[in-house]
Amino acid sequence: MFFEENSVIEDKAKKDFDQLDAELIDKFRKNEINVDEIVKNLEKIYKDEILECSDKNCPSDDQIFAQCYHQLVHSSSLQEILVKEQDYAPKISSLVLKMEKELSSLNEMHQEVMDTKINLLDVETTPDDINDLLKQQYSSSNLMRKQFESELEAKRGHQKNEYREWVTSRMSQKFLDSPTTAIGNKSSMFPNIHKTADRREESFTIHLGSQLKSTHNIRILSADIIDLCSPLVNENSESMINGNIQLGIYSSSLCGVVCLVPSASAFQVMANQKIIRNASLSTEFHFSQIDEQLDQIQHDLKSSGETRLKPGDFFITKHSNLSQCHLIFHLVCDDSTNEMNSRHPCIMGLRSILKVANRYDCTQLTIPALLKNEMSEEMTLSWCMRRAELVLKCTKGFMIESSSTGSELSTLQLLLPADISEELFTSISQMIPSIFRVANTKFL
């Protein structure tokens, strides 16, 4: 019965469609049908159906730019990209230097006027006059700074838009005739920091793990953290250092640096002022400017309900216009010389940084071996040896822990203060073979 009912329904539907087809054919013969209108209507229905059923996630402008840039930078256009960035940078750095110079001159003039007023206090001026003068001086210097910052923001925005349009247009012109260039292996992608006469460094190859061994490079060096975060374009020579940073931006071989920062007041984040200045000397074409990143981090801190960052906490900024790093891990660390243990918040902060670095393709990481930026009188030889031993042993444990999940960290740099003595540097260097399993050369 069920099949019989279906058969009757199908026969009736077929007759209805046949009748409709006959009427349409008859209208077509009599030129009563507008074919163009039917085609347009059919095309609209077809597009609506495709859009309804297709994936609506289209690549963003940033993703399109990233793909174009990655293909260009690994082609014969690399040198052209470097020249383009080299032309842009001096225009920003010169404006920054002009702002600093004029603000410095204005502050000196304000100081002279203030000194004169203070010398005449209770003679020709009153405390209220001093306060009014302070307000006027602050207002004038703040106005000058805002004017320069507004000009810098406009110039950076113009450069960024122009640069991105240039990159995408270069891809659309299909000028990539030569094969892509190799990035190089992960451990040697980034060049050594330029050596000076008083800089010391030593390198080791180590093995981690008992059964499934992993090989890593360890380099210990004495340098200022700013040397690893210098601007891509030198202020004096205006020449690009190299193209390795550009090659690694969208690769799986990123370079990171751990920078120690003090804890700040409520709802505030602090970064090294010299690093902020270096990152501000040129336009950041791939990420937000460093001040915008810090503002966003500060906003996120407020939104999280936390009042301030504590020792062991860290935040990350991304860069493409610094000489030796793509990522800076700003680790909050107190400046005291108190003894630490393996459970100290700063040590656990290092552990978290190594985990994040491993998870997000950071194959070279620089950490402060003493968790101090500069030497001080309290940092005796025995204190430095104990602190270095703690950091090295904990770091080894963290690296073994990460290697069990497939560690990508191939190069670890241990940074010692630039003003460390040669004796202390040698003593700490000699600790590495005793703590890590150093690969020995075999003679056949």
Side-chain angles (χ1 to χ4, degrees):
M1 186 67 180
F2 175 76
F3 292 103
E4 290 179 359
E5 287 180 355
N6 273 354
S7 177
V8 172
I9 292 173
E10 288 177 359
D11 288 343
K12 186 177 185 307
K14 185 175 183 302
K15 290 179 181 179
D16 291 341
F17 281 121
D18 289 343
Q19 183 179 356
L20 180 62
D21 292 342
E23 291 176 356
L24 288 174
I25 292 172
D26 186 55
K27 288 182 179 180
F28 180 75
R29 288 172 176 170
K30 296 178 180 178
N31 294 325
E32 296 178 358
I33 293 179
N34 189 335
V35 178
D36 293 337
E37 185 177 346
I38 291 177
V39 171
K40 288 181 180 180
N41 188 40
L42 181 62
E43 182 183 14
K44 180 180 181 301
I45 294 173
Y46 177 77
K47 286 182 177 180
D48 292 342
E49 180 73 12
I50 292 296
L51 290 174
E52 182 68 25
C53 300
S54 63
D55 187 3
K56 298 178 175 61
N57 294 327
C58 299
S60 64
D61 291 342
D62 288 341
Q63 291 172 327
I64 293 173
F65 167 74
Q67 293 171 3
C68 293
Y69 181 87
H70 184 70
Q71 294 186 49
L72 275 179
V73 81
H74 290 89
S75 72
S76 58
S77 299
L78 172 60
Q79 189 61 36
E80 194 174 354
I81 288 176
L82 297 181
V83 171
K84 191 77 172 176
E85 294 184 7
Q86 182 177 349
D87 291 339
Y88 279 130
K91 299 174 184 177
I92 299 297
S93 61
S94 62
L95 187 55
V96 171
L97 295 175
K98 181 181 178 183
M99 176 183 70
E100 293 174 347
K101 183 178 179 180
E102 294 197 12
L103 281 173
S104 177
S105 299
L106 181 63
N107 290 335
E108 289 177 2
M109 183 184 70
H110 284 169
Q111 188 62 47
E112 291 177 1
V113 174
M114 180 60 66
D115 290 342
T116 302
K117 290 289 185 180
I118 290 176
N119 291 333
L120 295 176
L121 186 62
D122 296 332
V123 179
E124 295 182 4
T125 60
T126 64
D128 290 338
D129 295 332
I130 299 295
N131 291 332
D132 291 340
L133 180 60
L134 280 172
K135 292 178 183 179
Q136 294 174 8
Q137 291 181 347
Y138 173 80
S139 178
S140 61
S141 60
N142 189 54
L143 177 60
M144 177 181 288
R145 181 179 293 277
K146 291 295 183 182
Q147 289 174 339
F148 274 109
E149 289 177 348
S150 178
E151 186 177 356
L152 277 168
E153 183 179 0
K155 193 176 290 292
R156 286 181 182 132
H158 174 73
Q159 286 188 355
K160 190 169 186 176
N161 292 334
E162 187 179 81
Y163 180 78
R164 290 190 165 211
E165 289 177 3
W166 175 80
V167 168
T168 52
S169 66
R170 287 286 288 120
M171 271 301 299
S172 64
Q173 293 169 8
K174 300 184 184 300
F175 282 166
L176 303 178
D177 299 327
S178 60
T180 57
T181 58
I183 293 180
N185 64 66
K186 295 178 180 179
S187 61
S188 63
M189 175 182 166
F190 295 94
N192 294 340
I193 300 175
H194 300 295
K195 293 185 180 180
T196 60
D198 58 345
R199 183 163 295 154
R200 295 167 292 275
E201 67 176 59
E202 192 169 350
S203 298
F204 304 86
T205 299
I206 65 165
H207 297 309
L208 292 179
S210 55
Q211 295 179 346
L212 186 60
K213 295 182 176 63
S214 59
T215 303
H216 305 266
N217 298 317
I218 287 188
R219 187 195 321 175
I220 185 168
L221 69 156
S222 63
D224 193 321
I225 187 69
I226 306 302
D227 294 343
L228 285 79
C229 306
S230 57
L232 271 181
V233 177
N234 188 279
E235 296 175 39
N236 299 320
S237 64
E238 295 184 356
S239 60
M240 301 293 288
I241 295 177
N242 53 60
N244 285 323
I245 287 296
Q246 287 84 350
L247 286 170
I249 291 173
Y250 297 106
S251 75
S252 57
S253 299
L254 301 177
C255 181
V257 173
V258 178
C259 179
L260 303 178
V261 296
S263 57
S265 56
F267 303 116
Q268 296 289 325
V269 293
M270 290 187 65
N272 188 299
Q273 292 300 314
K274 292 181 180 179
I275 292 178
I276 293 177
R277 180 183 182 275
N278 288 345
S280 301
L281 287 174
S282 60
T283 300
E284 177 57 75
F285 295 114
H286 303 271
F287 312 109
S288 301
Q289 290 292 139
I290 186 170
D291 53 345
E292 296 175 10
Q293 294 187 51
L294 294 175
D295 287 343
Q296 182 61 48
I297 293 169
Q298 190 167 300
H299 177 268
D300 294 341
L301 178 64
K302 290 182 179 180
S303 301
S304 68
E306 296 289 337
T307 56
R308 58 168 50 86
L309 295 176
K310 306 176 294 297
D313 294 336
F314 66 96
F315 55 93
I316 305 171
T317 53
K318 301 176 289 187
H319 308 274
S320 67
N321 59 351
L322 295 178
S323 61
Q324 298 285 333
C325 62
H326 297 112
L327 303 170
I328 299 181
F329 299 86
H330 305 263
L331 174 63
V332 179
C333 190
D334 52 37
D335 197 37
S336 67
T337 55
N338 296 334
E339 293 294 333
M340 289 184 177
N341 56 36
S342 60
R343 305 303 297 176
H344 190 277
C346 293
I347 297 293
M348 300 310 295
L350 272 182
R351 177 175 181 262
S352 300
I353 288 174
L354 279 166
K355 281 188 173 182
V356 172
N358 177 58
R359 187 181 305 165
Y360 295 103
D361 298 324
C362 186
T363 58
Q364 176 172 302
L365 183 65
T366 302
I367 67 173
L370 298 178
L371 292 180
K372 297 286 285 185
N373 291 322
E374 297 176 350
M375 299 295 294
S376 62
E377 294 181 359
E378 298 83 4
M379 297 168 61
T380 62
L381 177 62
S382 59
W383 183 94
C384 292
M385 295 297 290
R386 290 196 304 273
R387 176 64 66 87
E389 182 180 13
L390 172 67
V391 173
L392 292 181
K393 286 184 176 180
C394 290
T395 301
K396 177 186 176 181
F398 301 153
M399 292 176 69
I400 293 175
E401 181 183 359
S402 298
S403 65
S404 63
T405 59
S407 175
E408 292 294 330
L409 182 64
S410 59
T411 301
L412 177 70
Q413 290 194 145
L414 303 170
L415 186 66
L416 294 172
D419 54 348
I420 194 171
S421 66
E422 185 172 355
E423 176 189 3
L424 183 53
F425 178 87
T426 302
S427 299
I428 296 177
S429 299
Q430 291 173 350
M431 294 175 60
I432 294 178
S434 62
I435 294 176
F436 296 90
R437 182 180 300 174
V438 178
N440 296 319
T441 304
K442 292 184 177 181
F443 298 94
L444 300 177

